[in-house]
């Protein structure tokens, strides 16, 4: 294999591994809205907020406003 083929194979493998690590989720809020996230939101016990990233921005949702979080299948 030449260098270009090896590099391409490594890039494709890396993208596949990263895509396999994400867990798309849906956050259902008490007001009836739904938010789709690329990864499962993480709960921060210190602040009492769920945190996730949307469009490159960090978003926080109060725990009391979240009705449920479901993994998208």
């Amino acid at each position: 294999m030449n260098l270009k083929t090896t590099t391409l194979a490594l890039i494709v493998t890396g993208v596949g591994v990263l895509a396999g690590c994400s867990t798309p989720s849906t956050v259902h809020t008490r007001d009836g809205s739904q938010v789709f996230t690329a990864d499962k939101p993480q709960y921060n016990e210190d602040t009492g907020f769920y945190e996730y990233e949307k469009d490159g921005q960090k978003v926080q949702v109060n725990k009391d406003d979240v009705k449920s979080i479901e993994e998208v299948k």
Side-chain angles (χ1 to χ4, degrees):
M1 272 203 269
N2 63 24
L3 184 59
K4 287 183 182 181
T5 306
T6 304
T7 304
L8 180 61
L10 288 173
I11 290 171
V12 169
T13 302
V15 169
V17 168
L18 289 176
C21 294
S22 67
T23 308
S25 301
T26 305
V27 178
H28 300 272
T29 60
R30 299 221 181 266
D31 67 2
S33 64
Q34 296 180 358
V35 178
F36 297 98
T37 64
D39 291 318
K40 185 175 180 181
Q42 299 295 313
Y43 180 66
N44 184 331
E45 291 184 27
D46 295 333
T47 62
F49 285 85
Y50 283 98
E51 300 174 345
Y52 60 92
E53 222 174 274
K54 180 113 175 154
D55 299 327
Q57 299 285 329
K58 182 178 170 182
V59 178
Q60 295 181 325
V61 179
N62 191 321
K63 175 186 149 201
D64 296 333
D65 294 335
V66 175
K67 184 176 182 180
S68 66
I69 299 173
E70 297 177 2
E71 182 178 326
V72 176
K73 296 180 181 183

